[in-house]
Amino acid sequence: MTGDLTEAFRREASSLLGFFIRRDVPAEDAADLVSDTFLAAWKSTGTKDVAPEQLRAWLFGIARKALSRYRRGGTRRTALSERLRATLLLEDPTRRTNDETSEELNEHVRFLINCLPRIDQEIVRLVYWDGLSQEEVAVVLGKPATAVRARLSRARKILRDQLAETEDVD
C-alpha cells in the first residue's frame, strides 16, 4: 500500500491542504496537518483494507480527525500567522470573482452555512468546497450514505430558502 499512498499524496495533498485552509487553519499549520494525515495513513494498520476507490475519502476522514486534534490542542497563533490567515482568506479559492456583490453574497452564504447544524456544515463543505461525492462524505464521517444524502438535501433546501428570503436567489 506504500506505493498507493505515494500516488495518493501526489493526487490529494493539495486537496487536503485546501480542506484545512478553508477551515481557517493557517497555511503553515495546514501543511503540517497534511503531513500528519499522511503519516497517520502510513502508520495505520487498516491501510491495506482500504479499497482504492475509497482511499481519497479515507484520507479525508483521517484529515478530519487531525483537524479535531489540532483544534483541541488550542494551538496559539502569533500576530504574523494571524496576518497570513487574513491574507489567505482574501485569496480563498472558493471565491469566483473579485466583484464586490459576489463577495458579499459569498460572505452571506458562508454565514448561512455556519447557521446549519455542525454535521450539516461539514457535509456541505466536504461536497462543495472539497469536491467529495456523497458516498465519500459518508466514509469520511462514518455515517450511512443515505443519511448524508438526506442531510445534504435538507441543508440545501434550508440554504435555498434563506437565500430566497433575502432575494439573493430566485
Side-chain angles (χ1 to χ4, degrees):
M1 187 66 156
T2 304
D4 292 342
L5 281 177
T6 301
E7 182 56 34
F9 181 82
R10 288 186 188 110
R11 263 192 340 265
E12 302 301 337
S14 63
S15 294
L16 289 167
L17 184 65
F19 169 86
F20 292 119
I21 289 173
R22 284 187 296 271
R23 283 153 182 85
D24 295 328
V25 174
E28 65 275 6
D29 291 346
D32 289 343
L33 288 171
V34 170
S35 296
D36 292 348
T37 298
F38 278 96
L39 181 61
W42 183 69
K43 287 181 175 180
S44 174
T45 58
T47 304
K48 64 181 182 300
D49 299 328
V50 178
E53 65 275 2
Q54 294 295 316
L55 186 59
R56 182 172 194 250
W58 183 71
L59 287 169
F60 271 83
I62 294 171
R64 191 166 179 266
K65 289 176 186 169
L67 179 61
S68 181
R69 280 191 307 275
Y70 168 81
R71 286 183 173 155
R72 274 195 314 268
T75 305
R76 292 188 155 181
R77 295 181 178 96
T78 64
L80 176 60
S81 67
E82 285 299 319
R83 286 195 303 270
L84 177 60
R85 186 170 144 245
T87 301
L88 289 172
L89 285 175
L90 292 175
E91 298 171 0
D92 186 346
T94 63
R95 295 179 192 244
R96 289 181 172 74
T97 70
N98 288 331
D99 179 58
E100 194 171 308
T101 305
S102 180
E103 287 186 32
E104 287 176 19
L105 178 59
N106 212 358
E107 288 304 314
H108 184 62
V109 170
R110 282 176 174 271
F111 171 78
L112 292 175
I113 290 171
N114 287 333
C115 293
L116 294 170
R118 190 174 289 283
I119 188 71
D120 293 350
Q121 291 176 33
E122 191 62 10
I123 290 170
V124 168
R125 289 176 182 137
L126 286 166
V127 169
Y128 291 101
W129 290 0
D130 300 312
L132 271 65
S133 71
Q134 293 174 28
E135 291 75 20
E136 290 173 321
V137 171
V139 172
V140 169
L141 300 177
K143 304 271 186 210
T146 53
V148 169
R149 277 191 287 280
R151 293 191 82 92
L152 180 61
S153 177
R154 196 169 35 248
R156 281 192 277 217
K157 181 181 181 337
I158 290 168
L159 292 171
R160 246 190 328 266
D161 291 349
Q162 291 294 320
L163 287 170
E165 266 183 36
T166 58
E167 299 179 2
D168 288 330
V169 165
D170 295 323

